[in-house]
Amino acid sequence: MSGDTDEQLWQLAVTTLADNWWHDHTVPSRTLYPYQWSWDAGFIAVGLAHVAPARAWHDLRTLFHAQWADGRVPHIVFDDRNAPGDPYFPGPEFWRSNDVPEASPRATSGIVQPPVHAVAVWEVYRRAGRVGDPAARQAARERAVEELRWFYPRLLAQQRYLIGARDFAGSGLACLVHPWESGQDNSPSWDDALAAVPADLTLLRRYRRRDLMVSHRSHRPTDTDYARYIHIARAYRSLGYGDRAPRERYPFLVECPAFNTLLAAAELALADIATVVGADPRPHRRRAQQVTDALVDRLFSPETGMFHARDVATDERSHKRAVGGLLPMVLPTLPHTYVTSLVTEACSPRFGLAEQMRLPLPSYDRTAPDLDPERYWRGPVWINMNWLLWRGLCHHGQGALAAALHEAMLDTVRHAGCYENFHAITGAGIGTAEFSWTAALALDLLVRGPAGDGD
Ligand code: 2M8
């Protein structure tokens, strides 16, 4: 594919989402990720809201039907109807969620992903009732209010789990117990914390990496990374996925700027939802502010002008400049001076935001000696992170930069297709070719226009 028109891109994105719908949910990709993933479902719903709103609600409901009794929303929901033959590792027999009393009856993983769902629910609600005759519009609006009522207590429980049980450092921030929880799996942000985790390659002989059967080795995390991922997941599993054991039982405990930004953004979305369902929005706004303040206190570095992950075991901040460290820019609660600092960093050669730009922001500093332009979260461009940053730029009155980023994102997808991610320097498509969140967010960008204020 090269140089598609907007109409062709629209069609491609709609087809991608339709092809990735299986039974009661959308998979990120039929080949590489044949189940339902948590934060993918949020981004996917934002796109489905424009073309298949009933499916958007259905998809999110499927995810929340698998929510655990303690409030956690698992990062993968398995379903053997759509994926016979054990096509993904680690699958249900690795996670063994059915052994855990708080787990949902449906097999899931035991870890979480960034809580983008409240934002997604609000976006789907906002879009409701925009097509059809007046009666159809009215019915869609009423249904959307019912959906908000269904989701509100579940989203609250999700927040309570993350802000409560996951605050390992007592800092007001949620802590990740596994790099997969960040969604930015092999980001250089975790390198320091991971260095202390044993990399037992013999573990990989016992299991088989299914990702390498459908993807290039040079695009995926290394075996050393994978051995560590498995070690950390097994340690957490041995605690019954509990969050109250002594800290040294958790091989990886990290506060992530992007995850906590989305945690605060979820509180702001919940404040909006609360006003519709007749609840009090003020506690949500208060919590959003508290998380924002903790982000600034714990994760902002005056030296780099951006945010960085903090390893809770050593209490050290990483020095790596990853795109997640720019994400607090999406928060209306972030004081202006930090927004300015983040925009300045985003506009540096490291990330390349500019009124004339060819490619969206990479996942990692383009000038760093350890940039790996095609390896997953160590360089490549990801549309979801750029879409979030674009929302932040729109919100903070950076119209010209927002418009340039909007165009760069669409241009990249028009040229390469709905790939999972894109080479940090050339923009070529990488990973799986029919990737749901790229398709979904392209639809949203097309509808909303450069300033985010379109229909
Ligand atoms: C990637 O993560 C999974 C593990 O969860 C994997 O590498 O197999 C990440 O890009 C993550 O952000 C994403 O949610 C998932 C499915 O698209 O794939």
Side-chain angles (χ1 to χ4, degrees):
M1 132 143 9
S2 70
D4 272 5
T5 62
D6 283 353
E7 221 165 282
Q8 288 166 321
L9 173 57
W10 179 271
Q11 218 30 64
L12 175 73
V14 169
T15 309
T16 301
L17 289 176
D19 287 351
N20 287 348
W21 175 262
W22 284 41
H23 302 287
D24 59 3
H25 63 278
T26 309
V27 296
S29 144
R30 283 200 180 208
T31 50
L32 196 50
Y33 311 110
Y35 297 110
Q36 186 177 39
W37 258 258
S38 170
W39 80 326
D40 298 60
F43 296 121
I44 290 164
V46 168
L48 285 177
H50 300 295
V51 291
R55 196 167 268 193
W57 291 124
H58 196 144
D59 210 338
L60 287 168
R61 275 196 185 229
T62 300
L63 178 70
F64 276 80
H65 277 304
Q67 184 170 28
W68 289 22
D70 61 9
R72 91 182 70 193
V73 174
H75 105 293
I76 308 176
V77 180
F78 295 107
D79 183 346
D80 50 18
R81 284 173 307 175
N82 60 358
D86 206 10
Y88 181 80
F89 173 77
E93 58 304 312
F94 175 89
W95 294 101
R96 298 183 210 149
S97 64
N98 293 333
D99 295 348
V100 180
E102 307 84 59
S104 92
R106 197 156 170 176
T108 70
S109 68
I111 57 173
V112 299
Q113 267 191 330
V116 293
H117 315 92
V119 169
V121 162
W122 182 248
E123 286 295 320
V124 184
Y125 165 79
R126 278 196 334 114
R127 297 276 144 203
R130 299 203 184 198
V131 288
D133 60 35
R137 286 170 188 240
Q138 183 57 23
R141 276 197 289 269
E142 283 166 15
R143 161 147 194 215
V145 174
E146 280 319 301
E147 294 290 350
L148 289 195
R149 289 192 207 291
W150 191 87
F151 278 104
Y152 183 66
R154 291 166 173 84
L155 292 165
L156 269 185
Q158 178 187 29
Q159 292 294 106
R160 241 181 252 134
Y161 169 72
L162 295 174
I163 290 178
R166 284 306 192 83
D167 185 1
F168 279 81
S171 65
L173 295 179
C175 195
L176 308 185
V177 300
H178 196 294
W180 282 334
E181 296 202 305
S182 69
Q184 308 135 67
D185 300 7
N186 65 342
S187 165
S189 305
W190 327 129
D191 288 0
D192 292 346
L194 281 178
V197 177
D200 176 5
L201 291 173
T202 57
L203 265 184
L204 290 183
R205 268 180 238 132
R206 217 173 320 152
Y207 303 109
R208 201 153 50 105
R209 286 187 62 178
R210 310 290 193 286
D211 57 327
L212 298 180
M213 295 162 69
V214 285
S215 194
H216 288 287
R217 190 171 266 281
S218 65
H219 297 171
R220 296 285 302 173
T222 60
D223 278 352
T224 306
D225 284 336
Y226 245 81
R228 290 186 165 128
Y229 298 157
I230 299 311
H231 175 89
I232 299 167
R234 279 160 51 113
Y236 195 40
R237 185 184 68 189
S238 76
L239 300 173
Y241 303 112
D243 301 305
R244 297 226 172 108
R247 270 205 219 161
E248 52 283 4
R249 303 284 305 275
Y250 301 87
F252 181 90
L253 284 181
V254 166
E255 292 171 345
C256 162
F259 191 102
N260 282 286
T261 295
L262 294 167
L263 189 68
E267 288 296 340
L268 293 172
L270 278 165
D272 290 333
I273 297 171
T275 57
V276 179
V277 302
D280 184 358
R282 285 169 304 181
H284 297 300
R285 295 203 184 105
R286 213 166 35 238
R287 278 197 290 274
Q289 193 58 60
Q290 283 162 354
V291 175
T292 310
D293 293 345
L295 264 167
V296 168
D297 273 6
R298 303 267 300 167
L299 307 186
F300 184 77
S301 158
E303 289 82 52
T304 61
M306 64 182 291
F307 292 76
H308 300 266
R310 184 183 283 273
D311 181 350
V312 167
T314 60
D315 204 28
E316 296 284 333
R317 260 197 322 252
S318 159
H319 297 291
K320 306 274 179 168
R321 298 178 195 246
V323 71
L326 301 174
L327 229 58
M329 169 194 313
V330 309
L331 293 172
T333 40
L334 188 70
H336 187 66
T337 144
Y338 298 102
V339 175
T340 309
S341 177
L342 292 178
V343 172
T344 306
E345 177 60 19
C347 290
S348 75
R350 292 181 281 276
F351 291 101
L353 177 65
E355 288 181 23
Q356 300 291 325
M357 62 193 291
R358 193 174 60 83
L359 289 176
L361 280 69
S363 46
Y364 183 49
D365 178 357
R366 274 201 187 96
T367 67
D370 56 346
L371 171 83
D372 197 340
E374 60 179 25
R375 197 183 294 280
Y376 223 38
W377 290 90
R378 301 186 73 87
V381 167
W382 290 81
I383 295 299
N384 63 336
M385 299 306 260
N386 279 280
W387 179 82
L388 288 163
L389 289 173
W390 167 71
R391 283 167 61 100
L393 292 169
C394 292
H395 180 85
H396 290 292
Q398 297 285 344
L401 291 173
L405 180 56
H406 179 272
E407 186 50 24
M409 280 191 276
L410 282 179
D411 219 39
T412 301
V413 186
R414 274 191 218 108
H415 277 86
C418 292
Y419 269 84
E420 183 180 6
N421 53 70
F422 304 87
H423 192 285
I425 311 292
T426 67
I430 294 182
T432 177
E434 292 186 303
F435 189 63
S436 294
W437 85 40
T438 302
L441 299 178
L443 291 177
D444 191 62
L445 292 169
L446 287 170
V447 173
R448 291 177 18 145
D453 51 6
D455 180 30

